Amino acid sequence: MKKLFLIFSIALVVAGCAGGGNSDSNGSTEQSAAGETKTPGTEAYDPNRGEGKFTDLKISDKLDAEMAVRGEKVADLKCTSCHKLTNEKLVGPGWAGVTKRHKPEWIMNFITNTDAMIDKDPKVQTMLEICMVRMPNQNLSDGDARDILEFLRKNDGVK
């Protein structure tokens, strides 16, 4: 029964990989709810912040508990079938310590711009070789992604 569930879960993840990313081909400047601005195609790839519209997030040293609760709910729906909150790999890598290994901008860009990050980021490509399954684009809003980031911070011990 566990093998059947695992096979079904992997098939579901693989099927989810067909999801498209968000793109803006008119060259306009974009601004997110968090206030970051980006003009598409004007900057080189930065492995510290990743590929996407998030360039300079201002995050408090203190945890926003309300955001973390919302992030946990979104993660339960969209993420925890593939990711554990520990270091243990499930389908994807475990989440323990992710906010200590990556800048908030990188995490937000990966959550919201998954396909481009997988194609360009050497750290993500290394994880893809280990996990052997592309993370599907979950088409999360910027707000949902920010809530998940806060939940990840809580998981990593931010109070």
Side-chain angles (χ1 to χ4, degrees):
M1 187 68 166
K2 285 185 180 182
K3 286 183 182 180
L4 182 61
F5 177 74
L6 181 61
I7 290 170
F8 177 74
S9 296
I10 291 172
L12 186 62
V13 169
V14 171
C17 289
N22 298 330
S23 64
D24 181 7
S25 60
N26 67 8
S28 66
T29 299
E30 299 175 1
Q31 186 166 0
S32 74
E36 299 80 24
T37 303
K38 173 196 167 203
T39 303
T42 59
E43 69 278 340
Y45 183 75
D46 179 355
N48 291 314
R49 74 164 194 88
E51 176 77 15
K53 63 182 154 189
F54 297 99
T55 59
D56 189 27
L57 288 173
K58 304 294 185 220
I59 296 182
S60 171
D61 291 339
K62 303 248 185 227
L63 184 75
D64 183 323
E66 188 176 309
M67 286 177 77
V69 167
R70 290 191 312 255
E72 183 173 12
K73 289 177 184 175
V74 174
D76 284 345
L77 288 172
K78 299 273 190 167
C79 310
T80 57
S81 60
C82 294
H83 298 281
K84 290 194 172 205
L85 299 178
T86 64
N87 284 325
E88 186 179 353
K89 175 184 159 293
L90 188 55
V91 175
W95 279 356
V98 72
T99 62
K100 295 176 178 156
R101 291 189 304 274
H102 299 287
K103 290 186 169 195
E105 295 83 3
W106 188 97
I107 295 169
M108 290 287 292
N109 284 327
F110 186 62
I111 292 171
T112 60
N113 198 24
T114 308
D115 295 322
M117 290 281 290
I118 290 171
D119 292 341
K120 293 182 179 181
D121 192 273
K123 294 176 276 190
V124 175
Q125 291 171 354
T126 299
M127 289 309 302
L128 181 59
E129 289 176 11
I130 294 167
C131 297
M132 300 188 320
V133 177
R134 269 180 86 94
M135 181 172 134
N137 184 338
Q138 297 289 344
N139 294 312
L140 294 171
S141 69
D142 293 350
D144 285 345
R146 180 62 183 88
D147 291 342
I148 289 172
L149 173 60
E150 203 66 8
F151 173 61
L152 292 171
R153 293 179 61 213
K154 178 182 177 188
N155 189 57
D156 287 341
V158 175
K159 303 279 185 205

